[in-house]
């Protein structure tokens, strides 16, 4: 229905131009009965899907609960892994140790980003003069991506003090952080390299045609695009790093895992491990959901042709 200036307001509209059937203010649009029916059908289907999902979740949870509590060894398992007494005892000590994990995450995360970026740039340098640098960068990433993190930690945390080098620290926290940085820098370097190589060559050519040098092109054109595109996988690596900071406990550093291990060794009750695990899960879930949100936002921008 078309509203011509000077005509009386259409039936169903108030003096302000609002349509009583949900149309936009003042544009004279009235949804058709078919569209209204489709919207009602979608809303009903969404409510039905939500109800089915809720019922299915409750039924699954109830079945799992019945299977666990009716298992022959459940009373002993409950006492050994889910003791309220040892949970109350372990919780404050695990939180104190978690502060060390958070500091390692911040320091190692920053070091990993810087070192990973440098290695990625070294691998993407062009020209025969940079061939040795590219080979060394490739060897570094291949070695530390293939070496298990736990072995790397043992070599660094236990092997470096055995050398008795003058001026070299024997602090297990610093050595453990070094091992984490070495391993995760190799992974992050490959993430950055993939981002750099995903930038179309025409971007470099356009920048050079405007008079930018190779270094300026890399800094102002290539790297900003590469980093924006690789934010989701970088956040995933950060989540993994946050969990793996607990491995520094193998060197004797008293973090959340080591604090739980001390209580377990004294009481022979494994509830502190459950407490430490739940603390890490509670810390990881917000980071994981933020990563999912960033990934979905990036995918929407890519699908709509927006800048990445």
């Amino acid at each position: 229905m078309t509203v011509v200036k000077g005509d009386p307001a259409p039936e169903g509209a108030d003096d302000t131009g609002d349509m009583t059937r949900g149309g936009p203010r003042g544009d004279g649009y009235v949804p058709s009965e078919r569209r209204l029916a489709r919207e009602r059908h979608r809303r009903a289907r969404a409510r039905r899907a939500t109800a089915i999902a809720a019922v299915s979740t409750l039924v699954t949870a109830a079945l799992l609960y019945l299977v666990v509590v009716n298992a022959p060894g459940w009373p002993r398992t409950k006492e050994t892994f889910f003791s309220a007494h040892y949970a109350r005892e372990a919780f404050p000590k695990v939180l104190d140790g978690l502060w060390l994990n958070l500091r390692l995450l911040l320091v190692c995360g920053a070091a990993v980003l810087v070192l990973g970026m440098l290695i990625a740039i070294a691998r993407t340098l062009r020209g025969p003069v940079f061939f040795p640098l590219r080979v060394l960068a490739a060897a570094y990433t291949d070695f530390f991506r293939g070496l298990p993190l736990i072995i790397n930690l043992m070599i660094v945390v236990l092997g470096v003090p055995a050398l008795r080098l003058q001026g070299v620290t024997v602090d297990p926290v610093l050595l453990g952080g070094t091992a984490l940085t070495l391993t995760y820098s190799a992974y992050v370097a490959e993430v950055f390299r993939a981002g750099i190589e995903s930038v179309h060559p025409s971007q470099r050519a356009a920048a050079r045609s405007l008079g930018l040098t190779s270094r300026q092109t890399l800094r102002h054109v290539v790297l900003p695009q590469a980093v924006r595109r690789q934010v989701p996988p970088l956040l995933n690596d950060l989540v993994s790093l946050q969990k793996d900071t607990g491995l520094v406990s193998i060197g004797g550093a008293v973090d959340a895992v080591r604090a739980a291990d001390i209580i377990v060794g004294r009481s022979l009750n494994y509830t502190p491990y459950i407490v430490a695990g739940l603390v890490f899960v509670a810390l990881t879930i917000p980071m994981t959901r933020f990563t999912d949100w960033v990934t979905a936002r990036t995918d929407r921008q890519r699908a709509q042709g927006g800048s990445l």
Side-chain angles (χ1 to χ4, degrees):
M1 175 170 48
T2 304
V3 179
V4 182
K5 185 177 181 180
D7 289 347
E11 183 179 358
D14 59 14
D15 293 339
T16 62
D18 282 339
M19 307 304 295
T20 58
R21 295 175 62 185
R25 178 184 294 269
D27 63 358
Y29 170 72
V30 178
S32 66
E33 288 296 335
R34 180 175 296 178
R35 177 171 180 177
L36 292 175
R38 285 199 302 266
E39 292 177 353
R40 286 194 297 269
H41 175 69
R42 283 196 294 266
R43 289 194 294 268
R45 187 172 58 183
R47 289 193 296 267
R48 184 168 59 252
T50 301
I52 293 174
V55 173
S56 175
T57 302
L58 291 175
V59 170
T60 303
L63 290 176
L64 289 175
Y65 174 79
L66 292 175
V67 169
V68 172
V69 299
N70 290 321
W74 168 244
R76 181 61 178 171
T77 301
K78 180 180 179 181
E79 179 184 353
T80 305
F81 288 90
F82 302 99
S83 170
H85 169 72
Y86 288 108
R88 287 192 298 269
E89 178 183 353
F91 185 70
K93 298 179 181 179
V94 168
L95 285 184
D96 290 340
L98 186 66
W99 174 234
L100 174 60
N101 297 103
L102 292 176
R103 284 181 293 169
L104 279 172
L105 174 63
L106 294 176
V107 175
C108 294
V112 162
L113 290 176
V114 174
L115 184 56
M117 176 66 75
L118 293 177
I119 296 171
I121 293 174
R123 290 204 65 181
T124 56
L125 290 175
R126 301 179 179 182
V129 69
F130 296 114
F131 177 76
L133 194 58
R134 291 197 298 269
V135 170
L136 289 175
Y140 178 92
T141 56
D142 290 344
F143 179 78
F144 282 105
R145 289 175 71 196
L147 183 68
L149 176 58
I150 188 69
I151 295 179
N152 186 18
L153 279 163
M154 289 181 178
I155 292 173
V156 175
V157 175
L158 304 178
V160 171
L163 296 175
R164 299 181 182 180
L165 298 174
Q166 294 294 327
V168 177
T169 182
V170 295
D171 187 345
V173 175
L174 296 178
L175 294 176
T178 300
L180 290 172
T181 302
L182 291 174
T183 295
Y184 273 90
S185 294
Y187 289 99
V188 171
E190 287 300 282
V191 173
F192 279 131
R193 185 172 71 93
I196 292 173
E197 293 181 347
S198 70
V199 178
H200 198 273
S202 62
Q203 299 287 318
R204 294 178 182 267
R208 295 303 301 273
S209 67
L210 294 175
L212 274 67
T213 64
S214 297
R215 180 181 300 178
Q216 291 172 333
T217 300
L218 180 66
R219 177 183 177 185
H220 298 291
V221 178
V222 177
L223 288 183
Q225 297 183 65
V227 172
R228 284 198 300 271
R229 294 177 180 182
Q230 299 304 105
V231 166
L234 288 174
L235 290 175
N236 280 325
D237 286 335
L238 186 64
V239 171
S240 297
L241 176 62
Q242 180 259 314
K243 295 183 295 182
D244 285 341
T245 55
L247 294 176
V248 299
S249 60
I250 66 173
V254 184
D255 68 329
V257 177
R258 181 59 178 168
D261 188 57
I262 293 173
I263 300 176
V264 170
R266 173 171 48 81
S267 64
L268 297 181
N269 188 284
Y270 298 104
T271 303
Y273 285 148
I274 303 297
V275 174
L278 292 177
V279 168
F280 275 101
V281 169
L283 186 64
T284 302
I285 287 177
M287 298 173 62
T288 306
R289 296 286 75 80
F290 178 70
T291 301
D292 293 341
W293 177 81
V294 172
T295 303
R297 180 173 177 270
T298 302
D299 292 341
R300 287 195 302 269
Q301 289 180 338
R302 183 181 293 110
Q304 296 170 1
S307 60
L308 297 177

